[in-house]
Structures are given as structure tokens and as C-alpha cells.
Amino acid sequence: MPNPTEKYPKTESLSSLLPMERRDLLKISGGSLMAIGLTSFLDISSAKAQDMSNGADNFYKSRKINIRKVVFLTQYKTKIAANLFTPSQIDLNKHHSAIIVGHPMGATKEQSANLYATKMAEQGFVTLSFDLPFWGESEGQPRNAVEPELYAEAFSAAVDYLGIQSFVNRNAIGAIGICGSGSFVISAAKIDPRLKAIATISMYDMGGVARNGLRHSISEEQRKEIINKAALQRWNEAEGGKREYTGGTDNQLTRNSPAIQREFYDFYRTPRGQYTPSKIAADLTTHPTLTSNVKFMNFYPLNDIEIISPQPLLFISGDKAHSKEFSEEAYQRAAEPKELFWVAGAGHVDLYDRVDLIPFDKLTDFFKQYLKA
């Protein structure tokens, strides 16, 4: 097994597998961690990331909230690391509504999830942010592995944990999934009706984007080339070769970095949202393993989404987000009660941490309506 502190190995970009005339339509997305279609580039002449930090407060702390590190087990007895947030004035002799918060794909609970958990705890909810398996402080080898079924299981395991706390109403537990976690929580909710209300933020359908790219820009031939490359790398690793990583957010920008890559870079590679967990090197953060990343192609979170009903669904997206197609599709396929809420002027990453844009009032009203103690 390669040392996780080894320098991030330079791997062939997924776009290099494609004909030259298609490469300008593809990039490696930091949030989706797959090759996805790109339809526009920033008109920028330098490699400096755009300033998107106005109003951003990813590492927000509140004096009104108590935070405690906790660990709970999945159904498969693997450990999930989490933060439990409770209002400082909470009466622990009463049962309270609770909300689980899942972080963006490739991130950790310290990136966006803690912010949402803190803000919702300020509204009186017990909240829990957690690291997906193989990421952050949660268990799982190899690090940065992709396993969407285990990601969904982690949401159900979080329900288990909250539901046995004496101060939580186990019949009033909801969840927020940010970016890729939006698809993981939907996958969980389809088979776990204990999730009584579900909201997604800047949702990515990780299966859809893996198979088809943004706006269906990946052909079947290109998809097979990606799969074949991962299969060849499995042979290499089976014979003792070095593990390789793919996707994620570029560690450096260039003059030709596309707009979406710059958007993610501004969060993951600057003080705005940069965070490195203890189990991994800084230059490996956000990058999934090459051989496991293709597992998303077998992930269909939106299939049968209508069976979540009558549990309510709230899809929140920026009206300028490159990912808006996934919230639109999920809303169209879901059954009532459901709502699609647009945040005017917001892009995909804006809703990770820009507190002036994130509609916390909308989330508060939604969960207070459907998580009644």
C-alpha cells in the first residue's frame, strides 16, 4: 500500500482520453470528482483564482452552540467520525428535533457541513455533521475511496446514533445533503423512512455526472475509455504498483484552467475552505482513488425517488449553478410533497459557505414544519 504522505502522483487527466475536439468540453470537477461537461470558461488572463470569498464564512463558530466530537458505528461496524451540535440553552430532559448534515463529495465535515450544522443548531435543532466513510476522520481503507452505498449507509447510521440519544425525538430526524451528499441522502431515504424530511443543497447526482457528464456531454465510447483506464490501473495495483488518484480540485491553477475548476479551487485550495485531515497529505485532499471512482457509474440515486413520498423533499440550488440540472431532474422525478427553491445569483460553490446567500430561513421553516416534536 502506498504511503498516504507520498507526493500526489501526477495522473493522466481524464480529458486526455478524449479526442482533441471534445477536450474543451470536459474538466475534472472538484465537487463531482468525475469528468463532467464544461460549457464556459472564465475570461481571465492569469492563473489567480477568482475572488469568491465575499460573505463566505466556512469556519463560522457560534457562542450559542456546544460542540462535541462523537463516533458511531455503521451497520458494518466501521467507525464514523462526527460532530454533535446542541444549543447551549437546550433542555436535555426533553426530546428535540434533529438534523444530519453531509458534506460535499471529496470534502470533510469541516467544509460546509459544520457551517450548516452550526446555523441550524442556532435555530434550536440538535444537529450532527459527519465524515463520509474513507474521508476525513472516518474509517475506511484505502483513503479517498468511492463507495456510494456505504456513503448512504452512513446517513442511516447517523439516524441510529441520534435516535438512541435521550434528548432526541427519533420520529423527528431530518437531513441536509450538500453537493454529492445530496445524492447520497436521497439514496438513503429511499430505503430508510426514519429520515422524515430531506433537503439538498447544490446537489450533484454523482451517478448521473459520472455516466453522462454535465449536460450529457460524455459519450458511451468516452465512458468506456474511463472504465478501461480504471480497470488497467487495478491490474497495476494488484501487482504491487502505486495507487493513483483522479478528479478532485486542481492543486494549482494554470492560465487555461476552466471556470468550474477555478470555482472549486477558490474554496478547497485557499484559506476560504481549505482543510487537511490528519490521515492524508494536503495534496491528496478531494482526489478519489482512480480505481474506485468508476463505482459511481453504477449509482442511480434518482431512480425510484418518488418512493420517498410522503417524506418531504426540498431541493435548493443557485440559479447560476453549473449543477442546477440535477436539482431540476430530481424535483421533476420526485413525488409530493416537494419543492425546488432557487437562490438568485448564486453559483454551485456559493451555497457551501456564503452565509449571505444560503437560505437558512427557508431551511428552518422547512424542518420546523416537517420535524414536529
Side-chain angles (χ1 to χ4, degrees):
M1 180 180 297
N3 187 333
T5 62
E6 286 178 342
K7 183 173 177 58
Y8 172 64
K10 294 182 179 179
T11 60
E12 183 182 11
S13 168
L14 293 181
S15 63
S16 67
L17 297 172
L18 308 179
M20 183 62 71
E21 64 270 17
R22 294 286 296 175
R23 294 183 191 177
D24 62 345
L25 294 177
L26 295 174
K27 46 78 70 190
I28 307 301
S29 166
S32 71
L33 304 176
M34 274 307 295
I36 61 177
L38 178 66
T39 58
S40 63
F41 292 81
L42 281 180
D43 181 17
I44 191 167
S45 59
S46 73
K48 182 179 180 181
Q50 59 179 321
D51 180 11
M52 297 182 62
S53 61
N54 293 335
D57 199 0
N58 178 69
F59 298 105
Y60 173 74
K61 298 290 190 297
S62 174
R63 295 181 178 179
K64 303 176 183 178
I65 303 302
N66 296 322
I67 307 173
R68 180 161 59 95
K69 283 185 171 292
V70 299
V71 174
F72 56 89
L73 297 178
T74 68
Q75 194 173 48
Y76 307 104
K77 307 306 178 185
T78 56
K79 294 179 181 179
I80 300 295
N83 290 330
L84 180 67
F85 299 77
T86 54
S88 57
Q89 301 301 317
I90 193 173
D91 184 349
L92 296 180
N93 294 314
K94 295 182 178 180
H95 292 165
H96 301 273
S97 302
I99 301 171
I100 301 159
V101 185
H103 59 73
M105 181 59 208
T108 68
K109 60 185 179 300
E110 289 77 16
Q111 293 166 309
S112 192
N114 279 354
L115 169 61
Y116 275 78
T118 301
K119 288 290 187 178
M120 298 309 293
E122 286 182 335
Q123 301 304 314
F125 298 97
V126 173
T127 60
L128 183 80
S129 66
F130 70 93
D131 287 324
L132 291 172
F134 309 101
W135 299 86
E137 297 176 298
S138 288
E139 282 189 342
Q141 292 292 336
R143 304 309 298 165
N144 297 19
V146 169
E147 184 43 78
E149 289 187 5
L150 294 184
Y151 297 165
E153 158 60 22
F155 276 94
S156 289
V159 176
D160 295 340
Y161 172 79
L162 286 172
I164 61 174
Q165 304 307 308
S166 62
F167 51 88
V168 170
N169 177 1
R170 65 170 56 182
N171 295 313
I173 299 175
I176 297 171
I178 305 166
C179 186
S181 277
S183 60
F184 309 145
V185 73
I186 286 173
S187 180
K190 289 191 297 184
I191 57 173
D192 195 341
R194 300 176 304 166
L195 287 164
K196 299 300 184 182
I198 301 97
T200 69
I201 310 294
S202 294
M203 185 186 72
Y204 253 94
D205 172 359
M206 296 304 302
V209 76
R211 289 183 296 275
N212 306 314
L214 283 177
R215 301 171 186 86
H216 290 256
S217 58
I218 294 178
S219 69
E220 181 178 345
E221 179 184 358
Q222 293 157 0
R223 186 189 313 164
K224 287 181 177 179
E225 288 183 275
I226 294 169
I227 293 171
N228 287 335
K229 184 182 180 185
L232 290 174
Q233 176 59 20
R234 285 193 70 133
W235 282 126
N236 184 47
E237 292 179 15
E239 294 170 345
K242 181 182 295 186
R243 181 171 293 117
E244 292 193 10
Y245 301 81
T246 189
T249 301
D250 286 350
N251 293 327
Q252 293 182 334
L253 293 180
T254 69
R255 184 181 299 272
N256 297 321
S257 295
I260 297 176
Q261 190 60 257
R262 291 177 181 275
E263 182 182 359
F264 284 113
Y265 184 98
D266 202 63
F267 181 79
Y268 287 110
R269 302 298 184 212
T270 74
R272 174 182 168 189
Q274 189 172 33
Y275 181 83
T276 303
S278 60
K279 295 181 180 181
I280 198 163
D283 52 5
L284 283 178
T285 61
T286 79
H287 301 290
T289 64
L290 176 62
T291 55
S292 71
N293 204 33
V294 292
K295 293 186 185 297
F296 277 136
M297 294 192 183
N298 273 342
F299 182 47
Y300 293 83
L302 302 188
N303 283 7
D304 302 321
I305 189 175
E306 67 276 6
I307 70 173
I308 293 175
S309 176
Q311 319 297 47
L313 288 162
L314 171 63
F315 305 101
I316 296 176
S317 175
D319 65 357
K320 305 299 183 185
H322 66 263
S323 58
K324 61 186 293 186
E325 63 182 283
F326 303 119
S327 293
E328 290 174 322
E329 181 182 358
Y331 174 77
Q332 291 169 0
R333 297 176 67 168
E336 297 288 352
K338 61 181 180 178
E339 183 177 358
L340 177 58
F341 184 86
W342 295 113
V343 181
H348 177 86
V349 177
D350 288 334
L351 298 187
Y352 284 12
D353 65 341
R354 291 189 62 181
V355 295
D356 295 338
L357 283 175
I358 297 170
F360 289 113
D361 289 346
K362 181 67 178 178
L363 287 166
T364 299
D365 291 344
F366 173 74
F367 285 112
K368 284 187 174 180
Q369 177 182 356
Y370 292 108
L371 299 182
K372 295 178 180 179

